[in-house]
Amino acid sequence: LLRAARQSHRQKTTTTKPTPTRIVAKHRSALPAGLAEPTAAALSRALSDETNAALRRLQAEPAAKNLDSDDCLRALLAREWDYAAALETVSAMVEWKSSHPSPIEPADVPVTLRMKAFLPGGVARDGSAVLAGYLERWFPAKYDWDEHVRFINHIFRASLKRSRTDRFVFLFDMSGWNLLRHASPHSIRIIFSLVRLVHVEFAERVGVCLCLSTPAAFQYVWKLIVPLIEPRIASRVHLLGDDWGDIVEA
């Protein structure tokens, strides 16, 4: 997070398709193993006077009264230091936390728990929490919208408790992707709700998303939907084929 703050004003990189080596290198640089002191203290030396002042100003906003300094920093990073946009983000963070309390009981998410399509995957070498998804097990038509929201809130928060970097690594086994099942209106709504969560309410929590054994058909679908996704999020999604083993191991 600190390294991302230092690089926040650099020019955007080119859109050249990354090689596996670049994926791993970018992943490691974006997800440090952790800081030896609170982020806010480290930022006082790492950020410029201007950006540090913006962080302190945002922390003092009434909308951010229930958030810590790290949440405010993530909002500024996610909005690329656009103060007005960051203020909207912290407001959304507070609203989400207040309207979706935890913990969630198993009885609140019975279908999604039995499905085991999305599971905690331990902790990556850099300390990030791993979330694993198995599309062959995912039948979105079997549960309603309310259960989806409760389950996502539960698994995100539970995973963050294990993370040393306060970030996620998403690993999706795409080998079971099915056009009819996973591209229905209900499925698309769920997918875009996840995109919004990692863009707003859980801003800067996702370090990288690796889609493994991605079918060729999905890659065509991805080209259609990626323009609808915020570039900062889309740039962290990488579609890999069946030769993903060495990349994930790294």
Side-chain angles (χ1 to χ4, degrees), residues 3 13 62 121 138 153 188 205 229:
R3 189 171 302 176
T13 59
W138 186 41
N153 180 51
I188 295 298
R205 295 285 194 182
I229 300 176

Side-chain angles (χ1 to χ4, degrees), residues 134-138 173-178 181-182 213 215:
Y134 304 89
L135 265 68
E136 65 179 4
R137 305 177 187 173
W138 186 41
D173 179 355
M174 302 292 292
S175 60
W177 183 79
N178 180 281
R181 191 201 314 167
H182 299 135
S213 300

Side-chain angles (χ1 to χ4, degrees), residues 31-206:
L31 299 173
L35 298 173
E37 56 187 327
T39 300
L43 282 173
S44 65
R45 295 185 299 279
L47 298 183
S48 67
D49 291 341
E50 180 183 0
T51 52
N52 218 335
L55 176 60
R56 292 194 300 269
R57 178 186 172 194
L58 187 60
Q59 288 180 258
E61 292 280 2
K65 64 180 180 180
N66 294 324
L67 299 178
D68 58 27
S69 59
D70 286 359
D71 286 328
C72 293
L73 173 59
R74 291 186 191 94
L76 286 165
L77 288 172
R79 304 291 87 82
E80 298 182 344
W81 301 93
D82 181 328
Y83 188 84
L87 183 57
E88 292 181 2
T89 298
V90 297
S91 298
M93 288 177 174
V94 171
E95 181 180 356
W96 172 266
K97 288 183 177 182
S98 61
S99 58
H100 300 87
S102 63
I104 298 295
E105 298 296 331
D108 297 326
V109 286
V111 179
T112 44
L113 283 182
R114 288 197 304 269
M115 200 174 293
K116 296 183 179 181
F118 302 99
L119 299 170
V123 179
R125 292 180 181 181
D126 57 23
S128 300
V130 176
L131 284 176
Y134 304 89
L135 265 68
E136 65 179 4
R137 305 177 187 173
W138 186 41
F139 292 83
K142 291 187 176 181
Y143 59 96
D144 60 22
W145 176 256
D146 289 339
E147 178 166 343
H148 157 70
V149 173
R150 291 193 297 269
F151 178 73
I152 292 301
N153 180 51
H154 163 69
I155 197 169
F156 274 24
R157 291 189 175 183
S159 297
L160 283 175
K161 292 180 180 179
R162 302 191 312 274
S163 173
R164 297 195 303 272
T165 64
D166 290 334
R167 281 193 170 190
F168 301 115
V169 173
F170 286 159
L171 299 179
F172 289 118
D173 179 355
M174 302 292 292
S175 60
W177 183 79
N178 180 281
L179 179 63
L180 296 179
R181 191 201 314 167
H182 299 135
S184 67
H186 179 61
S187 302
I188 295 298
R189 184 188 181 196
I190 288 177
I191 292 170
F192 275 95
S193 75
L194 289 174
V195 172
R196 174 188 162 78
L197 279 176
V198 300
H199 179 54
V200 181
E201 287 84 359
F202 289 86
E204 291 300 304
R205 295 285 194 182
V206 176

